Amino acid sequence: MERTYETQIGCPVAGALDVIGDRWTILILRDLLLGKSGKFKDLLESLQGISPNLLASRLKRLEQEGIVERFFYSDHPPRAEYRFTLKGEELGSVVRAMARWGYKHRLTEDQREHASRQIPGLDPAKTT
């Protein structure tokens, strides 16, 4: 079900939010961007708190939008892995910008230390 911002027709920000603005979607993109496994079970484990149905729904939407592709690595039972398309890879700069903003404005010092180990390049003081 597509959510639209009726009063924002033609707005590129609203258009992007229609696709990636749902809860959990940007975190799915984060995991794929970080090179984590795109296997359903691994995403489910990484995104503690998301239901399997909701994860399936978000992945289906990202696939329909051409942001991820599904590759089957097992036929019996069917098991799939999700990977970025070229279109999806373009979202990397958006996710990185959100991470840098969150690092600067939302995290405590302890959280920043942990985050900088998980996502290289977040701390502007440590970049060359």
Side-chain angles (χ1 to χ4, degrees):
M1 177 164 113
E2 185 168 331
R3 176 184 64 195
T4 60
Y5 299 88
E6 294 297 327
T7 62
Q8 303 299 313
I9 302 298
C11 172
V13 173
L17 285 176
D18 283 341
V19 178
I20 65 169
D22 290 322
R23 185 172 185 206
W24 297 106
T25 301
I26 202 76
L27 296 177
I28 295 167
L29 299 176
R30 174 208 60 196
D31 281 2
L32 295 175
L33 179 65
L34 290 174
K36 293 185 179 181
S37 166
K39 294 178 180 177
F40 188 89
K41 68 178 183 68
D42 293 335
L43 289 169
L44 195 60
E45 182 179 315
S46 175
L47 301 168
Q48 293 180 8
I50 191 172
S51 71
N53 288 342
L54 188 56
L55 177 57
S57 171
R58 296 297 189 260
L59 288 167
K60 183 176 181 180
R61 176 70 193 269
L62 290 170
E63 188 178 9
Q64 289 170 338
E65 290 289 337
I67 294 169
V68 299
E69 292 178 304
R70 180 173 49 169
F71 296 91
F72 287 95
Y73 63 90
S74 172
D75 291 332
H76 299 298
R79 300 273 190 244
E81 181 175 6
Y82 295 85
R83 300 178 197 151
F84 275 129
T85 61
L86 290 176
K87 182 178 176 180
E89 287 176 7
E90 291 178 10
L91 284 168
S93 60
V94 173
V95 177
R96 283 185 205 90
M98 290 179 69
R100 283 190 297 273
W101 185 91
Y103 179 89
K104 181 177 180 181
H105 297 289
R106 299 289 299 162
L107 301 184
T108 66
E109 277 303 317
D110 288 342
Q111 291 169 330
R112 285 182 185 146
E113 186 177 323
H114 176 74
S116 63
R117 287 193 304 269
Q118 301 298 314
I119 307 172
L122 283 179
D123 187 350
K126 294 181 181 177
T127 58
T128 56

